[in-house]
């Protein structure tokens, strides 16, 4: 790919901002890595693979897509040029920092038991925040101009969450949640937050 160096740089910048990126073939999607593990923690009965396959099937050339899942986690993805089925996916992230009230309302709307509200709140704290004013969108726009030959040759498109997900995603919270999964997920979130704070302290110490 003629833009391999630029792609590596783009992914490195997003990684520095604690936002994950994935490059994969459409036929070999790393669902276990893309999922934050929160569905498993809540023991939600959902086919995550089917959920995202419905969304990724909408991919078109020269288009950067953005969509939100039912947890209000945002993702962006695009079909990379000079390939037939290689996709760059960015996320998850949140476009705004939700208040505690909004988090609890979301938990209630998903039918999550009140006993999980505290952990549900911790989950959102661990998701990177990417505001619409972020310089990362300008960087992504510049990347699009490079790989597609100008700003007139590609578009941003927001996918409708209701049309794409709700028909195939019906969260059902099972009563027999396994304690070991809860413990594992809590450790994962603590590590994520620790790494983030460590990066912040390092950046401050270096000016």
């Amino acid at each position: 790919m003629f833009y391999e160096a630029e792609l590596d740089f783009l992914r490195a910048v997003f990684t520095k901002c604690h936002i994950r990126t994935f490059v994969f073939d459409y036929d070999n999607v790393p669902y276990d890595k893309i999922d934050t593990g929160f569905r498993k923690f809540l023991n939600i009965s959902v086919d995550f693979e089917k959920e995202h396959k419905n969304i990724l099937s909408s991919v078109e050339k020269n288009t950067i897509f953005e969509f939100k899942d039912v947890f209000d986690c945002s993702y962006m993805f695009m079909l990379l040029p000079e390939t037939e089925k290689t996709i760059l996916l960015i996320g998850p992230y949140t476009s705004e920092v939700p208040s505690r009230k909004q988090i609890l309302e979301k938990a209630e709307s998903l039918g999550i038991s009140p006993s999980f509200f505290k952990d549900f709140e911790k989950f959102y704290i661990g998701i990177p925040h990417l505001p619409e004013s972020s310089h990362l969108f300008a960087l992504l726009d510049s990347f699009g101009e490079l790989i597609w030959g100008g700003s007139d040759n590609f578009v941003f498109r927001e996918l409708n969450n209701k049309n794409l997900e709700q028909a195939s995603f019906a969260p059902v919270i099972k009563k027999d949640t396994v304690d070991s999964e809860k413990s594992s997920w809590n450790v994962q979130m603590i590590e994520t937050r620790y790494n983030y704070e460590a990066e912040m302290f390092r950046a401050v110490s270096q000016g």
Side-chain angles (χ1 to χ4, degrees):
M1 298 183 292
F2 70 89
Y3 52 87
E4 186 170 356
E6 289 81 2
L7 176 60
D8 289 342
F9 175 75
L10 178 75
R11 298 186 67 189
V13 172
F14 272 96
T15 299
K16 280 289 185 181
C17 296
H18 309 282
I19 299 175
R20 298 185 299 170
T21 65
F22 305 88
V23 174
F24 53 85
D25 285 345
Y26 180 78
D27 296 334
N28 189 26
V29 184
Y31 296 106
D32 57 331
K33 294 181 180 180
I34 295 174
D35 186 14
T36 58
F38 197 59
R39 292 166 177 81
K40 184 178 181 180
F41 162 69
L42 290 173
N43 214 5
I44 293 178
S45 177
V46 61
D47 189 339
F48 183 74
E49 181 173 341
K50 181 179 179 181
E51 175 190 354
H52 278 68
K53 184 171 290 185
N54 288 343
I55 295 170
L56 294 176
S57 64
S58 303
V59 69
E60 299 173 359
K61 294 181 178 180
N62 296 56
T63 306
I64 299 176
F65 294 91
E66 183 177 29
F67 72 94
K68 286 185 179 181
D69 63 16
V70 293
F71 293 109
D72 286 335
C73 295
S74 295
Y75 302 81
M76 288 184 287
F77 68 94
M78 68 186 78
L79 180 65
L80 294 172
E82 293 191 339
T83 71
E84 293 296 327
K85 53 185 179 181
T86 302
I87 292 175
L88 167 65
L89 185 142
I90 301 168
Y93 58 89
T94 57
S95 55
E96 60 181 23
V97 179
S99 65
R100 190 169 190 273
K101 179 181 178 182
Q102 290 174 317
I103 293 174
L104 296 182
E105 288 177 346
K106 172 58 66 175
E108 290 178 355
S109 70
L110 292 172
I112 295 174
S113 170
S115 62
F116 289 110
F117 282 1
K118 186 175 181 180
D119 292 311
F120 193 74
E121 187 175 9
K122 289 180 181 178
F123 165 72
Y124 273 98
I125 294 175
I127 300 174
H129 176 222
L130 183 61
E132 294 182 359
S133 59
S134 173
H135 66 282
L136 292 179
F137 285 105
L139 179 63
L140 189 62
D141 187 60
S142 298
F143 179 71
E145 292 181 4
L146 170 73
I147 64 176
W148 288 308
S151 59
D152 295 332
N153 295 331
F154 72 99
V155 295
F156 281 87
R157 181 181 170 193
E158 185 175 349
L159 294 180
N160 190 308
N161 179 40
K162 292 183 179 180
N163 292 340
L164 285 173
E165 287 196 24
Q166 291 184 358
S168 62
F169 186 95
V172 178
I173 309 303
K174 299 178 181 178
K175 296 181 179 179
D176 54 341
T177 303
V178 182
D179 289 338
S180 62
E181 291 182 356
K182 179 176 180 179
S183 176
S184 176
W185 182 85
N186 279 329
V187 170
Q188 178 184 345
M189 294 309 299
I190 291 172
E191 289 178 346
T192 299
R193 189 169 184 179
Y194 174 80
N195 290 335
Y196 174 77
E197 291 175 348
E199 285 286 344
M200 289 293 292
F201 283 126
R202 189 177 299 113
V204 171
S205 65
Q206 295 176 352

